[in-house]
Amino acid sequence: LFYREKYADTIMYQQLRGRQAIGEGQLFGRGLFQPQHVYVPRSENDFIFSYFAESCGFIGCLLVFGLLFVVMVKLLKTAYRARNRVGAYVCVGVFATLVFQTFINVGMNLMLLPVMGLTLPFLSAGGTSVLLLYLSVGLALSVGRFGEQPPTLDAAKADVAQLGNNENVQEKDNDAKRP
């Protein structure tokens, strides 16, 4: 990491080309299917972000981050509305996985972190990683589908009124049983 130029033709080649591709994208990018892209080896896997940044530019990267952010916020909302703690833990775990993988992958592409082989969620073509990501999101969707909505104010008032009526009935029953 400290002598990048020394290893530019060997172990740092992919990261240097990825960072160059991100810089070539500028604000609006070159276009998705244009033939003049910077060559990044195996760009469909760990370095899909560099290809996407070159194709769609900074605006496209913001769009990708926005979509990932929406998914992450939905996961946290589902965790809040979960019926039990296990469901909440599942949703928070999937959220943490998405945050971690996104942070590491973008850091790898920007040469801030070493290449670790983590895919960018929902975009990279990794076999096992994509399969487990979709399974974990499916579990979170299941928690959301069978989760309970938090009580509304009207429902809470109705519960309190029902509780008050039950206490009055019990007091009358207790008074009738007393000698």
Side-chain angles (χ1 to χ4, degrees):
L1 286 174
F2 296 112
Y3 304 107
R4 294 176 182 160
E5 291 75 26
K6 181 178 177 181
Y7 299 107
D9 293 336
T10 57
I11 60 175
M12 298 296 287
Y13 180 74
Q14 188 172 18
Q15 277 190 303
L16 284 170
R17 300 297 282 185
R19 189 172 72 171
Q20 181 184 2
I22 291 171
E24 291 286 331
Q26 296 183 357
L27 188 60
F28 294 106
R30 292 185 172 188
L32 265 176
F33 302 108
Q34 299 300 322
Q36 310 97 331
H37 285 287
V38 174
Y39 174 69
V40 179
R42 305 291 294 172
S43 63
E44 70 275 1
N45 291 335
D46 298 344
F47 283 83
I48 191 72
F49 181 74
S50 63
Y51 176 80
F52 193 79
E54 183 182 10
S55 299
C56 299
F58 183 71
I59 302 298
C61 291
L62 288 180
L63 178 69
V64 167
F65 289 141
L67 292 174
L68 285 170
F69 181 75
V70 166
V71 170
M72 292 175 196
V73 167
K74 287 294 229 179
L75 282 168
L76 289 180
K77 283 184 179 179
T78 303
Y80 173 72
R81 293 180 176 155
R83 182 180 301 180
N84 54 23
R85 286 188 177 183
V86 174
Y89 291 155
V90 167
C91 293
V92 170
V94 175
F95 166 79
T97 302
L98 288 177
V99 168
F100 181 74
Q101 281 188 331
T102 303
F103 179 76
I104 296 295
N105 188 280
V106 172
M108 288 183 332
N109 280 274
L110 293 174
M111 288 184 69
L112 299 174
L113 297 171
V115 177
M116 296 181 207
L118 287 177
T119 59
L120 187 63
F122 304 112
L123 295 176
S124 296
T128 307
S129 176
V130 171
L131 176 69
L132 290 176
L133 176 69
Y134 287 144
L135 285 174
S136 60
V137 168
L139 284 173
L141 286 172
S142 175
V143 169
R145 181 175 181 194
F146 297 110
E148 211 169 59
Q149 296 290 332
T152 61
L153 186 58
D154 295 332
K157 286 180 182 177
D159 288 342
V160 169
Q162 181 67 27
L163 182 64
N165 290 338
N166 287 342
E167 288 177 0
N168 291 338
V169 170
Q170 287 176 354
E171 286 177 12
K172 289 179 184 176
D173 288 341
N174 288 339
D175 290 340
K177 291 180 184 177
R178 287 186 195 153

